[in-house]
Amino acid sequence: MARPDKAAAVAELTDAFRDSNAAVLTEYRGLTVAQLKQLRRALSGNATYAVVKNTLTAIAAKQAGIESLDADLQGPSAIAFVTGDPVEAAKGLRDFAKANPALVIKGGVLEGRALTAAEINTLADLESREVLLAKTAGVLKASLFQAAYLFTAPAAQAVRTVDALRVKREESSEEAA
């Protein structure tokens, strides 16, 4: 490859690192072209999956301010540049790796922080952002209902007490008569 082509590839990879909020480094040795196409389709909403050259990727990562990928850049490498939900992308990679053991997750970066393969699998075990937001809203709603109940409870108790006194007076006035 000519020098300008390498510079362009490095610039493209650097932009991909900067534009994504996460990147997952994988080894794809043993996967067919059809399987890679299937993986790209599975990740299409949240990430782009690209086969990369290790030396150019190392240079691009350093230019983007990422130092943690150097140790994992061994053998045939491909990177999932995550622009959407990192949890969904991690789930897609984990599920594909379960179905196709030839795909090995090596590590990655999430918002500038290095991730191991185990941490990426833990990330994949999380619920999606929408589910977590719904659960948070449910907890907040329950807290509001509990607060409303606590504010209305003394008034309701006072009404029940007054009603019990009224019933008792009526019974005592009927007995006196």
Side-chain angles (χ1 to χ4, degrees):
M1 196 181 322
R3 208 75 185 134
D5 292 343
K6 288 183 180 182
V10 168
E12 185 179 333
L13 285 171
T14 303
D15 289 341
F17 275 117
R18 287 183 179 146
D19 294 341
S20 62
N21 53 8
V24 180
L25 186 64
T26 63
E27 183 176 320
Y28 64 93
R29 186 182 317 196
L31 292 177
T32 65
V33 172
Q35 288 171 324
L36 286 174
K37 189 175 182 180
Q38 180 185 5
L39 176 59
R40 284 186 177 105
R41 236 182 281 125
L43 296 174
S44 65
N46 295 306
T48 57
Y49 190 74
V51 174
V52 295
K53 291 189 176 282
N54 292 338
T55 54
L56 299 180
T57 304
I59 294 168
K62 284 180 184 169
Q63 287 180 1
I66 300 169
E67 301 289 331
S68 58
L69 291 180
D70 290 344
D72 293 329
L73 287 170
Q74 309 280 327
S77 299
I79 298 180
F81 292 104
V82 181
T83 54
D85 187 8
V87 173
E88 291 298 320
K91 282 182 184 182
L93 285 167
R94 180 201 56 196
D95 294 344
F96 189 84
K98 281 183 181 176
N100 302 288
L103 181 74
V104 177
I105 298 173
K106 295 181 185 179
V109 177
L110 176 63
E111 296 178 358
R113 182 182 169 274
L115 297 175
T116 63
E119 289 173 326
I120 292 170
N121 285 327
T122 302
L123 183 66
D125 292 337
L126 290 177
E127 293 172 334
S128 70
R129 181 177 187 273
E130 289 77 21
V131 172
L132 291 174
L133 287 174
K135 284 185 176 184
T136 303
V139 167
L140 291 174
K141 184 178 177 183
S143 296
L144 288 175
F145 279 125
Q146 186 178 15
Y149 174 76
L150 289 174
F151 288 132
T152 59
Q157 185 177 8
V159 168
R160 285 192 298 273
T161 304
V162 169
D163 190 45
L165 286 172
R166 182 188 53 81
V167 169
K168 188 175 181 184
R169 269 201 182 150
E170 286 177 358
E171 289 175 357
S172 61
S173 67
E174 288 175 4
E175 288 176 5

